[in-house]
């Protein structure tokens, strides 16, 4: 069966149905053309892809900066803690060395005093009476005795080297 427009199978709907089908076909055709145009629009697709990549790169940059900042803070904290540990160990080692030196100094002083007392006792016992006070004073005060002794040696050398001429 055919209707007045001569379109087979159009049935009883007539020209209104045909107009509706034409509009529908035009809409589908417009969508298809727009889709094809979108596929053909390489520049537009490239710009959209570039915008997506820029967004991803920006997000990745923010994430990397955050990670780097966290790593920097962690390294700083670790280095600070290590510095404190080294400082504390050096301080403890310094105190230990100071204590040992102090003990060694006291020991040396005690031994020197004991040796000085022993020399005084020997000087008192072994030296004849007229020289005993001089020797005792020299043992108790060695620096002035050394200076006086050096002066006497110097005078003896000068007298020997340059004898008086008659």
């Amino acid at each position: 069966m055919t209707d007045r427009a001569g379109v087979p199978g159009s049935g009883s709907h007539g020209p209104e149905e045909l107009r509706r089908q034409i509009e529908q076909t035009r809409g589908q055709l417009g969508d298809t053309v727009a889709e094809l145009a979108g596929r053909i629009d390489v520049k537009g697709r490239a710009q959209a892809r570039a915008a997506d990549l820029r967004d991803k790169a920006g997000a990745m940059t923010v994430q990397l900066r955050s990670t780097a900042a966290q790593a920097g803070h962690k390294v700083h904290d670790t280095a600070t803690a290590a510095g404190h540990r080294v400082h504390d160990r050096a301080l403890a080692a310094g105190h230990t060395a100071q204590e040992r030196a102090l003990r060694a100094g006291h020991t040396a002083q005690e031994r020197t005093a004991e040796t000085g007392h022993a020399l005084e006792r020997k000087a008192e016992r072994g030296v004849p009476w007229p020289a005993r006070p001089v020797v005792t004073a020299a043992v108790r005060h060695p620096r002035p005795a050394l200076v006086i002794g050096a002066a006497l040696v110097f005078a003896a050398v000068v007298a020997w080297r340059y004898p008086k001429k008659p």
Side-chain angles (χ1 to χ4, degrees), residues 40-64:
I40 292 174
D41 184 19
V42 175
K43 182 178 178 182
R45 285 182 21 210
Q47 288 175 345
R49 179 74 174 144
D52 287 344
L53 290 175
R54 268 194 304 272
D55 291 344
K56 286 181 182 178
M60 190 173 286
T61 300
V62 169
Q63 183 180 4
L64 287 174

Side-chain angles (χ1 to χ4, degrees), residues 122-146:
K122 282 184 181 180
E124 288 175 1
R125 287 188 219 128
V127 176
W129 187 85
R132 189 176 294 166
V134 174
V135 172
T136 304
V139 169
R140 287 186 183 156
H141 307 289
R143 284 188 184 155
L146 288 174

Side-chain angles (χ1 to χ4, degrees), residues 10 47 51 55 65 79 87 98 104 119 132 141 143 157 160 166:
S10 63
Q47 288 175 345
D55 291 344
R65 284 183 181 169
H87 176 264
Q98 183 181 13
L119 287 174
R132 189 176 294 166
H141 307 289
R143 284 188 184 155
V157 168
W160 172 71

Side-chain angles (χ1 to χ4, degrees), residues 14-159:
E16 288 301 318
E17 180 66 24
L18 275 176
R19 286 187 189 115
R20 188 188 61 73
Q21 286 178 355
I22 290 171
E23 286 301 319
Q24 183 180 3
T25 303
R26 279 184 185 162
Q28 290 173 353
L29 184 61
D31 292 342
T32 304
V33 168
E35 184 180 334
L36 288 174
R39 287 184 184 177
I40 292 174
D41 184 19
V42 175
K43 182 178 178 182
R45 285 182 21 210
Q47 288 175 345
R49 179 74 174 144
D52 287 344
L53 290 175
R54 268 194 304 272
D55 291 344
K56 286 181 182 178
M60 190 173 286
T61 300
V62 169
Q63 183 180 4
L64 287 174
R65 284 183 181 169
S66 173
T67 303
Q70 289 174 353
H73 289 304
K74 185 174 181 179
V75 167
H76 177 266
D77 294 344
T78 303
T80 301
H84 288 304
R85 283 193 303 274
V86 167
H87 176 264
D88 293 344
R89 288 179 186 163
L91 193 61
H95 287 305
T96 302
Q98 183 181 13
E99 289 172 6
R100 287 181 181 170
L102 189 62
R103 273 188 254 132
H106 285 286
T107 303
Q109 279 181 337
E110 290 170 1
R111 288 183 183 169
T112 303
E114 289 173 6
T115 304
H117 292 307
L119 287 174
E120 281 183 41
R121 286 190 299 274
K122 282 184 181 180
E124 288 175 1
R125 287 188 219 128
V127 176
W129 187 85
R132 189 176 294 166
V134 174
V135 172
T136 304
V139 169
R140 287 186 183 156
H141 307 289
R143 284 188 184 155
L146 288 174
V147 170
I148 292 170
L152 289 175
V153 168
F154 178 74
V157 168
V158 168

